[in-house]
Coordinates of all heavy atoms in Angstrom, one line a residue:
L19 N 12.1 -3.1 -4.9 CA 13.0 -4.0 -4.2 C 14.3 -3.2 -3.9 O 14.9 -3.3 -2.9 CB 13.4 -5.2 -5.1 CG 14.4 -6.2 -4.5 CD1 13.9 -6.8 -3.2 CD2 14.7 -7.2 -5.6
A20 N 14.7 -2.3 -4.8 CA 16.0 -1.6 -4.7 C 15.9 -0.5 -3.6 O 16.9 -0.2 -2.9 CB 16.4 -1.0 -6.0
L21 N 14.7 0.1 -3.5 CA 14.6 1.3 -2.6 C 13.6 1.2 -1.5 O 13.6 2.0 -0.6 CB 14.2 2.5 -3.5 CG 15.3 3.0 -4.5 CD1 14.7 4.0 -5.4 CD2 16.5 3.5 -3.7
G22 N 12.8 0.1 -1.5 CA 11.8 -0.1 -0.5 C 10.7 0.8 -0.5 O 10.4 1.6 -1.4
G23 N 9.8 0.8 0.5 CA 8.6 1.7 0.6 C 7.4 1.0 0.0 O 7.4 -0.2 -0.2
V24 N 6.4 1.8 -0.2 CA 5.1 1.3 -0.7 C 4.9 1.8 -2.1 O 5.0 3.0 -2.3 CB 3.9 1.7 0.2 CG1 2.6 1.2 -0.4 CG2 4.2 1.0 1.6
K25 N 4.5 1.0 -3.0 CA 4.1 1.4 -4.4 C 2.7 0.9 -4.7 O 2.5 -0.3 -4.6 CB 5.1 0.9 -5.4 CG 4.8 1.4 -6.8 CD 4.9 2.9 -6.9 CE 4.3 3.5 -8.3 NZ 5.0 2.9 -9.4
I26 N 1.9 1.8 -5.1 CA 0.5 1.4 -5.5 C 0.3 1.8 -7.0 O 0.5 2.9 -7.4 CB -0.5 2.2 -4.6 CG1 -0.2 1.9 -3.1 CG2 -2.0 1.8 -5.0 CD1 -0.9 3.0 -2.2
N27 N -0.2 0.8 -7.7 CA -0.5 1.1 -9.2 C -2.0 0.8 -9.4 O -2.5 -0.2 -9.1 CB 0.3 0.1 -10.1 CG 1.8 0.5 -10.1 OD1 2.2 1.7 -9.9 ND2 2.7 -0.5 -10.2
I28 N -2.6 1.8 -10.1 CA -4.0 1.7 -10.5 C -4.1 1.2 -11.9 O -3.5 1.7 -12.8 CB -4.7 3.1 -10.4 CG1 -4.4 3.7 -8.9 CG2 -6.2 2.9 -10.6 CD1 -4.8 2.8 -7.8
V29 N -4.9 0.2 -12.1 CA -5.1 -0.5 -13.4 C -6.5 -0.4 -13.9 O -7.4 -0.4 -13.0 CB -4.6 -2.0 -13.4 CG1 -4.7 -2.6 -14.7 CG2 -3.2 -2.1 -12.7
M30 N -6.7 -0.3 -15.2 CA -8.1 -0.2 -15.8 C -8.9 -1.4 -15.4 O -8.4 -2.5 -15.3 CB -8.0 -0.1 -17.3 CG -7.7 1.3 -17.8 SD -7.9 1.4 -19.6 CE -7.7 3.1 -19.9
G31 N -10.2 -1.1 -15.3 CA -11.2 -2.2 -15.0 C -12.3 -1.6 -14.1 O -12.2 -1.6 -12.9
R32 N -13.4 -1.2 -14.8 CA -14.5 -0.6 -14.0 C -15.3 -1.6 -13.3 O -15.6 -1.5 -12.1 CB -15.4 0.1 -15.0 CG -16.7 0.8 -14.3 CD -17.5 1.6 -15.3 NE -16.8 2.7 -15.8 CZ -16.9 3.9 -15.2 NH1 -17.6 4.1 -14.1 NH2 -16.2 4.9 -15.7
H33 N -15.7 -2.8 -14.0 CA -16.5 -3.8 -13.4 C -15.8 -5.1 -13.3 O -16.2 -6.0 -12.4 CB -17.8 -4.0 -14.2 CG -18.6 -2.7 -14.3 ND1 -19.2 -2.1 -13.2 CD2 -19.0 -1.9 -15.3 CE1 -19.9 -1.0 -13.5 NE2 -19.7 -0.9 -14.9
A34 N -14.8 -5.4 -14.1 CA -14.1 -6.7 -14.2 C -12.7 -6.5 -13.8 O -12.1 -5.6 -14.3 CB -14.3 -7.3 -15.6
G35 N -12.1 -7.4 -13.0 CA -10.8 -7.2 -12.6 C -9.7 -8.1 -13.3 O -8.6 -8.2 -12.8
F36 N -10.1 -8.6 -14.5 CA -9.1 -9.4 -15.2 C -7.8 -8.7 -15.5 O -6.7 -9.4 -15.4 CB -9.7 -9.8 -16.6 CG -10.9 -10.8 -16.5 CD1 -12.2 -10.4 -16.6 CD2 -10.6 -12.2 -16.4 CE1 -13.2 -11.3 -16.6 CE2 -11.6 -13.1 -16.3 CZ -12.9 -12.7 -16.4
L37 N -7.8 -7.4 -15.9 CA -6.6 -6.8 -16.2 C -5.7 -6.5 -15.0 O -4.5 -6.7 -15.0 CB -6.9 -5.5 -16.9 CG -5.7 -4.8 -17.7 CD1 -5.1 -5.8 -18.7 CD2 -6.2 -3.6 -18.4
T38 N -6.3 -6.1 -13.9 CA -5.6 -5.9 -12.7 C -5.0 -7.2 -12.2 O -3.9 -7.3 -11.7 CB -6.5 -5.3 -11.6 OG1 -7.1 -4.1 -12.0 CG2 -5.7 -5.0 -10.3
A39 N -5.8 -8.3 -12.3 CA -5.3 -9.6 -11.9 C -4.1 -10.0 -12.6 O -3.2 -10.8 -12.1 CB -6.5 -10.6 -12.0
A40 N -3.9 -9.6 -13.9 CA -2.8 -10.0 -14.8 C -1.5 -9.6 -14.1 O -0.4 -10.1 -14.5 CB -3.0 -9.4 -16.2
S41 N -1.5 -8.6 -13.2 CA -0.2 -8.2 -12.5 C 0.4 -9.4 -11.9 O 1.7 -9.4 -11.8 CB -0.6 -7.1 -11.5 OG -1.4 -7.6 -10.5
A42 N -0.3 -10.4 -11.5 CA 0.2 -11.5 -10.8 C 1.1 -12.4 -11.7 O 1.8 -13.2 -11.2 CB -0.9 -12.4 -10.2
L43 N 0.9 -12.2 -13.0 CA 1.7 -13.0 -14.0 C 3.2 -12.7 -13.8 O 4.1 -13.5 -14.2 CB 1.2 -12.8 -15.4 CG -0.2 -13.3 -15.7 CD1 -0.6 -12.8 -17.1 CD2 -0.3 -14.7 -15.6
A44 N 3.5 -11.6 -13.3 CA 4.9 -11.2 -13.1 C 5.6 -12.1 -12.1 O 6.8 -12.1 -12.1 CB 5.0 -9.7 -12.7
R45 N 4.8 -12.7 -11.3 CA 5.4 -13.6 -10.3 C 6.2 -14.8 -10.9 O 7.1 -15.3 -10.2 CB 4.3 -14.1 -9.3 CG 3.7 -13.0 -8.5 CD 2.6 -13.5 -7.7 NE 1.9 -12.4 -7.0 CZ 0.7 -12.4 -6.4 NH1 0.0 -13.6 -6.5 NH2 0.3 -11.4 -5.7

């Protein structure tokens, strides 16, 4: 938010996306 641009974060999860999905809890 402070500097703009695109930020991409890779999260663990080979077959299941539960951990990546948890990023939405920050909302």
Side-chain angles (χ1 to χ4, degrees):
L19 177 64
L21 293 171
V24 176
K25 181 64 191 298
I26 303 165
N27 289 328
I28 309 301
V29 185
M30 276 186 175
R32 179 180 291 272
H33 300 297
F36 289 100
L37 196 55
T38 305
S41 60
L43 295 174
R45 292 172 183 165

